[in-house]
Amino acid sequence: MNTSPRTFSLNFLISAFIVLLCLGACSAERKAVLFLDRYWPLGMKPEEELESLIAEAQRGAKARISALRMEGEDAPAFLAAYIENEKPEAVLLSAFAAMELRPLAENYPQVRFCVFDAPKEGIPRQSPFIWVLFDAEPAIPELGAKIRGFLESSPPGSSAVAFLEPAWNSISGLYPVFDGLPINLIQVSGDNTAEFVRGRTGGALSLKPVLYILSAGIHTSLIFDLIRQQGGAGRIVLDEGAGIPAIEGFPVLASLERSYPKAIKTALLTEAARGEVLRIPVEIR
């Protein structure tokens, strides 16, 4: 096929323009590193699930995100070497790792250190971190409507039990949800022994509740076992139920989930300054 010089020149210019666009896109790509310590639930996810989560976050933020697991005990030196070699724009880390990595964040002011699962209270505003807080408060009205609707449609005399571990207790809007409903509230803390938890739950479980409200905490596995052994078949409401396998006879009514891909995208795209707090709404599933 014959091509005129004019057509050839036009095609060449178009091709060159496309190449330049691609090079510009590649050079503008953000680089971030997900620094996974041994205590961060995100780092405990199966490798396949973690890879899928990172891929989703990369698409949303148009970034290249690497994952590093803490090697040995010298995390600051390990991460400092990575920063020097790879020049990431952002480091994504947990609130636990932030305690050890604060001096490193201060030494690299050009790198944005984003701390995930930030505590609801006690965040120091004068810090080298951007704090990423998962906020359950906006989801509570919808969750409350689900709980109330389910209990009001249950047979007369039906009851529920709520195991209020620290994750639930931090949600100020949760207690009004329970007003006027037949819900036994059981306070459970990390300091309680297994014997204490068994003693506290026996009476409530003997009523064969139709609904169990739990949060992911240190006693979650024990409480699930007690429910299966002593309780009656019923629905489950969970705080952070992702990854918990389905339990026969205990379908999930609702679960509050933290979307790490959305949180990572927000952290990478935000213009927030150090010391500021990013609030990521928790989702109901």
Side-chain angles (χ1 to χ4, degrees):
M1 182 177 68
N2 294 327
T3 304
S4 69
R6 183 177 180 180
T7 301
F8 177 81
S9 298
L10 181 60
N11 289 339
F12 176 80
L13 287 173
I14 292 173
S15 299
F17 181 66
I18 291 173
V19 170
L20 287 173
L21 283 178
C22 292
L23 289 174
C26 292
S27 62
E29 184 182 51
R30 293 178 174 85
K31 290 175 64 175
V33 58
L34 190 64
F35 193 70
L36 302 168
D37 65 79
R38 63 178 66 90
Y39 298 109
W40 194 6
L42 189 59
M44 301 176 191
K45 291 183 179 294
E47 206 63 35
E48 184 176 341
E49 184 179 347
L50 182 62
E51 290 175 0
S52 175
L53 184 152
I54 291 174
E56 184 179 347
Q58 288 183 143
R59 288 192 298 270
K62 294 181 173 59
R64 178 158 60 88
I65 303 172
S66 303
L68 281 181
R69 295 189 183 275
M70 182 182 290
E71 298 290 339
E73 298 300 324
D74 198 0
F78 181 68
L79 183 56
Y82 181 90
I83 293 173
E84 291 290 343
N85 292 327
E86 300 297 329
K87 305 294 190 294
E89 175 186 314
V91 175
L92 317 174
L93 64 154
S94 74
F96 176 83
M99 294 187 292
E100 189 174 5
L101 296 176
R102 175 166 183 149
L104 187 67
E106 292 171 340
N107 289 339
Y108 288 93
Q110 76 279 15
V111 179
R112 298 163 71 245
F113 282 72
C114 303
V115 178
F116 288 75
D117 298 316
K120 190 173 181 180
E121 299 177 353
I123 295 177
R125 302 304 172 134
Q126 299 300 320
S127 77
F129 302 120
I130 295 171
W131 302 91
V132 184
L133 169 65
F134 286 106
D135 189 3
E137 300 287 348
I140 293 305
E142 181 183 350
L143 178 66
K146 284 181 176 290
I147 292 173
R148 185 172 294 276
F150 176 76
L151 288 176
E152 290 179 348
S153 64
S154 297
S158 297
S159 67
V161 58
F163 299 91
L164 300 177
E165 295 197 62
W168 280 127
N169 284 323
S170 67
I171 303 173
S172 61
L174 186 66
Y175 284 88
V177 167
F178 300 145
D179 286 348
L181 294 177
I183 301 177
N184 291 302
L185 307 182
I186 298 178
Q187 297 286 345
V188 182
S189 75
D191 297 330
N192 296 148
T193 63
E195 290 72 21
F196 178 87
V197 175
R198 289 191 184 93
R200 290 294 308 275
T201 60
L205 294 179
S206 68
L207 299 175
K208 307 300 179 185
V210 297
L211 182 66
Y212 303 89
I213 302 170
L214 304 115
S215 60
I218 191 171
H219 296 297
T220 304
S221 297
L222 171 61
I223 291 171
F224 265 126
D225 286 340
L226 293 173
I227 289 172
R228 283 193 291 253
Q229 296 166 14
Q230 303 176 25
R235 293 292 191 103
I236 299 282
V237 170
L238 290 166
D239 171 46
E240 190 57 38
I244 295 179
I247 303 174
E248 186 176 355
F250 299 91
V252 175
L253 175 67
S255 178
L256 296 182
E257 303 292 346
R258 292 152 179 77
S259 174
Y260 280 102
K262 178 189 293 186
I264 291 171
K265 171 189 171 184
T266 302
L268 292 180
L269 296 179
T270 185
E271 298 297 328
R274 292 182 168 210
E276 293 189 26
V277 178
L278 298 177
R279 293 182 177 272
I280 310 298
V282 169
E283 301 173 352
I284 292 185
R285 296 178 185 171

